[in-house]
Amino acid sequence: MNQPDFVFRGHQAAVNCVHFLVNGRYLLSGDQDGLLIVWNMLLKRQLVKHSTAHTSAILAISSVDSSTIITQGRDNKLNIWTLDAHEFSGSLKLAQSLDIESLNFCRFSISAHWICGLVADELGSMFIYNVHTQERHAFSVEHKSATRSGAHNDQPMCMDICASEELLQLTVGYESNKLRCFHLQVSNDSVQVTAVCSVQTPHTEPLLSISVDQDAQSIYTCAADNNVCRFKLDGTVLVKAAAAELPHTGGSLIQCFQTPQVVAVAGWDYAVHLYDHGLQHLKDVRFHRAALTAVDVSNKCTELLPDITDDLIQQRWKMQPQWMAVASRDSRISLWNVNAVLQP
């Protein structure tokens, strides 16, 4: 299969990120010009188009729920939006804007209602922000790596945060290819940071993306080289559990999904590389004419649409497959029925 089910062409610049909202009804996309688009996945058309969501490129998009959207731009702003969506129309309202370091392309991370990002102009400094209470705390994950000329400040390149009932687990990848795990305990007026473990990864180029499978305590990494790695968190030790090689160098983003159980790498070689959770290769998906930047998979449709009374539309919604959205620097977004893609 080399042809997607649908192609979205609403962007004129490189598309840097895509993200499905929790119910899979809407897809968000952001591009190099700062354009943010909300796509209606039932009608396969644009619902909202915000041409000045950021004054520079949008690096990352995520969401807290079906109406609270987070975007990060190269303008060093983290914007929190409220989406008011209806069947044929919608609007985006800027609720809050936070300062964040974006010059080194390090994307923010979110889990539940907690956002984690780099503090501008302070190497190794991070902040954690509660979207509901608006409390914000600063902390440091500074690391120095040994070089021939002495100790060198190690730049954080990527991160992933996971929330549990008791604490937050933060995983940070550094320019030296070091991978470090921290536990964060947040109180009313401070955050306590505990370094749990670290490992020097086998990557030969800077880490670019991390994805954590919290259930299996596994951490997946990709970098500017052609290595894809899986590490297992065993108590306070990180152990390399599996590895794979991309056909060519460079993975922009790695994502671990639970349904279906697949790990996807958006490659610089224009392909999505799909693996199982043990990093056994499943399939490569090629369509785009430029490097890929992001990939996301929608949740399975299990609920009726509360604002739709037409039975025929409800039937169409229940028949929707799980979509895999792929973003590329060729300004297009391709949509694939992920289960059909994974069939032998």
Side-chain angles (χ1 to χ4, degrees):
M1 174 185 288
N2 57 5
Q3 290 298 315
D5 295 86
F6 297 95
V7 179
F8 287 165
R9 293 183 169 87
H11 292 276
Q12 301 300 314
V15 184
N16 291 333
C17 44
V18 285
H19 172 72
F20 284 103
L21 291 187
V22 63
N23 57 7
R25 187 174 178 183
Y26 302 108
L27 173 71
L28 313 173
S29 59
D31 72 18
Q32 194 69 16
D33 289 340
L35 171 65
L36 173 62
I37 298 180
V38 181
W39 303 88
N40 185 323
M41 288 303 297
L42 182 61
L43 302 177
K44 306 298 185 296
R45 63 180 64 174
Q46 295 178 24
L47 183 76
V48 183
K49 189 173 184 178
H50 197 309
S51 60
T52 57
H54 287 271
T55 58
S56 188
I58 298 176
L59 294 181
I61 300 178
S62 193
S63 59
V64 177
D65 49 43
S66 59
S67 62
T68 306
I69 295 167
I70 319 292
T71 60
Q72 177 187 358
R74 283 297 303 280
D75 54 6
N76 289 335
K77 294 296 182 184
L78 189 78
N79 290 340
I80 302 175
W81 308 84
T82 300
L83 172 65
D84 183 20
H86 305 280
E87 187 175 0
F88 299 109
S89 63
S91 63
L92 280 169
K93 180 181 178 182
L94 182 61
Q96 194 163 5
S97 187
L98 306 174
D99 293 329
I100 189 172
E101 171 62 66
S102 299
L103 295 182
N104 72 336
F105 298 96
C106 184
R107 299 178 178 97
F108 77 97
S109 182
I110 185 169
S111 183
H113 51 275
W114 292 103
I115 297 173
C116 190
L118 288 179
V119 174
D121 303 323
E122 294 182 40
L123 191 64
S125 293
M126 290 192 172
F127 71 87
I128 189 162
Y129 179 81
N130 188 315
V131 176
H132 293 161
T133 65
Q134 299 185 7
E135 62 178 301
R136 174 172 174 156
H137 304 291
F139 62 97
S140 176
V141 293
E142 183 181 5
H143 179 257
K144 293 185 182 294
S145 59
T147 65
R148 292 181 179 178
S149 58
H152 169 71
N153 285 327
D154 212 356
Q155 176 69 50
M157 299 294 293
C158 48
M159 71 183 80
D160 198 0
I161 192 167
C162 298
S164 66
E165 293 182 3
E166 298 178 354
L167 47 77
L168 300 167
Q169 177 181 305
L170 174 66
T171 307
V172 181
Y174 293 83
E175 190 175 11
S176 67
N177 300 322
K178 194 86 168 181
L179 195 63
R180 302 178 73 200
C181 292
F182 303 87
H183 284 168
L184 310 182
Q185 288 186 306
V186 183
S187 61
N188 292 332
D189 55 359
S190 65
V191 55
Q192 180 180 339
V193 182
T194 304
V196 178
C197 55
S198 66
V199 67
Q200 188 68 39
T201 71
H203 291 285
T204 58
E205 297 291 339
L207 288 168
L208 296 179
S209 182
I210 296 170
S211 184
V212 177
D213 177 2
Q214 192 174 18
D215 293 337
Q217 288 291 284
S218 293
I219 301 168
Y220 297 89
T221 61
C222 70
D225 60 15
N226 69 332
N227 293 314
V228 179
C229 297
R230 173 181 173 241
F231 298 90
K232 187 81 172 175
L233 184 57
D234 184 8
T236 58
V237 179
L238 271 174
V239 180
K240 181 183 172 185
E245 290 188 0
L246 300 173
H248 303 90
T249 57
S252 300
L253 187 79
I254 189 167
Q255 288 274 65
C256 173
F257 302 101
Q258 296 301 325
T259 309
Q261 287 207 338
V262 66
V263 175
V265 179
W268 292 357
D269 60 354
Y270 312 175
V272 179
H273 305 282
L274 299 174
Y275 303 88
D276 65 16
H277 281 193
L279 290 187
Q280 292 297 310
H281 181 258
L282 299 174
K283 192 163 289 189
D284 296 332
V285 179
R286 296 181 182 274
F287 165 74
H288 291 275
R289 297 192 295 266
L292 304 186
T293 54
V295 58
D296 197 18
V297 173
S298 66
N299 291 328
K300 220 168 185 180
C301 303
T302 58
E303 298 179 358
L304 295 177
L305 301 175
D307 56 327
I308 302 297
T309 57
D310 189 302
D311 291 340
L312 185 59
I313 295 178
Q314 291 284 12
Q315 184 97 15
R316 283 177 54 203
W317 175 249
K318 289 173 66 175
M319 294 173 62
Q320 288 273 317
Q322 270 189 280
W323 294 112
M324 179 174 71
V326 181
S328 170
R329 296 195 182 280
D330 66 9
S331 79
R332 298 180 297 170
I333 302 166
S334 58
L335 291 174
W336 310 75
N337 179 334
V338 69
N339 291 304
V341 166
L342 291 172
Q343 286 181 356

